[in-house]
Amino acid sequence: MRVVARPDEAALNRITKALDGISYKAPTVLKDAANETGKYAEKKIVDTATKRYVFDNTIHLKNAIKRKRATYANPRTILSIKSSMNKMIHFMVTPGKPANLPGRPSVYKGKVLRQSAIKPLYENGVKAFIIKFTNGGAQVVRRMPGKTYSGKNLAKRRAKKLDTTKIDVMYSPSETHMMAKGYVLSETDINNQLQKNIKKHINKLMERLGK
């Protein structure tokens, strides 16, 4: 995902008109306004996504967003967001204990949106549950009907009289997905801030020049 903070042609014409006699300063105004807006947009998108989704402290939205500064030659700032899918275990799941422990529920519940109600966790009609792997990590998983373990894994599970149906980890929104939605919800506010920053930097320039 890429977000570009840059005035449109109409805004550029207004800047040029406002800088009557010193229009050569327009790129400087654009650069400064774009960079200030880029900082604002970066924080706004992260804050909006954080308020929308409920996740644990292993997910760091700020680390997934990078900002390229605007320059005199290229007066636009670019926000780039790139990440992989997250796992459901890092969002709200209740109870948060593996299914083989005492007190396991008949169905696990969870959610990814902060304002949503907690609902039973199903994927393709199959109930999800939590297991703890041999490496110590716990994950929300589900059975994969029609697919079974093979080789040594199949033999071991049969010997222990365990279900031989394969399991698959349940995934949840990536940082890219969350912040893409954060941008959509913040776009109008960011564009308004850009216009305010353009006006602000025009006024600062005019004051320095005594106009």
Side-chain angles (χ1 to χ4, degrees):
M1 173 189 168
R2 299 178 76 206
V3 177
V4 180
R6 179 179 59 182
D8 56 22
E9 186 175 349
L12 181 59
N13 290 335
R14 289 196 297 272
I15 294 172
T16 301
K17 184 176 181 180
L19 295 175
D20 184 36
I22 52 171
S23 58
Y24 64 91
K25 287 287 188 179
T28 299
V29 170
L30 289 175
K31 172 181 69 69
D32 293 342
N35 281 327
E36 188 169 351
T37 305
K39 290 180 181 179
Y40 176 86
E42 186 175 2
K43 185 177 186 304
K44 182 70 177 179
I45 291 170
V46 170
D47 288 348
T48 301
T50 300
K51 291 175 182 177
R52 179 176 172 79
Y53 297 90
V54 54
F55 48 85
D56 64 22
N57 59 13
T58 65
I59 295 176
H60 304 284
L61 296 183
K62 290 182 180 180
N63 294 343
I65 188 168
K66 306 297 180 185
R67 180 168 56 88
K68 182 178 180 181
R69 290 179 56 82
T71 64
Y72 182 89
N74 186 14
R76 64 178 183 174
T77 187
I78 301 174
L79 300 181
S80 299
I81 305 168
K82 185 177 181 181
S83 65
S84 301
M85 290 288 290
N86 284 306
K87 295 174 182 176
M88 188 63 205
I89 195 69
H90 299 303
F91 286 73
M92 180 176 283
V93 181
T94 183
K97 62 176 66 175
N100 59 351
L101 293 180
R104 62 182 181 273
S106 59
V107 61
Y108 283 82
K109 297 180 180 181
K111 66 178 183 177
V112 297
L113 295 177
R114 194 173 296 276
Q115 298 302 320
S116 295
I118 297 178
K119 298 179 179 179
L121 289 176
Y122 285 89
E123 189 168 292
N124 298 326
V126 180
K127 288 195 299 185
F129 56 97
I130 295 178
I131 65 169
K132 190 172 184 178
F133 290 98
T134 54
N135 64 7
Q139 294 294 345
V140 179
V141 301
R142 69 174 183 88
R143 299 283 177 196
M144 302 171 66
K147 295 185 178 182
T148 59
Y149 289 97
S150 60
K152 293 181 178 180
N153 286 331
L154 178 60
K156 286 180 181 180
R157 297 189 74 82
R158 281 177 173 170
K160 295 179 180 180
K161 296 182 179 181
L162 298 175
D163 194 326
T164 59
T165 307
K166 273 190 171 182
I167 61 172
D168 189 33
V169 173
M170 194 170 181
Y171 287 86
S172 52
S174 65
E175 287 90 339
T176 301
H177 176 92
M178 290 189 281
M179 287 194 282
K181 187 62 179 179
Y183 171 69
V184 170
L185 295 173
S186 306
E187 185 174 10
T188 298
D189 193 38
I190 292 170
N191 286 335
N192 289 339
Q193 189 64 38
L194 175 60
Q195 301 309 315
K196 291 179 182 178
N197 288 336
I198 289 173
K199 184 176 181 180
K200 169 185 171 181
H201 286 283
I202 287 175
N203 291 338
K204 286 177 66 175
L205 175 63
M206 301 302 264
E207 287 177 5
R208 285 202 306 270
L209 298 175
K211 293 182 176 286

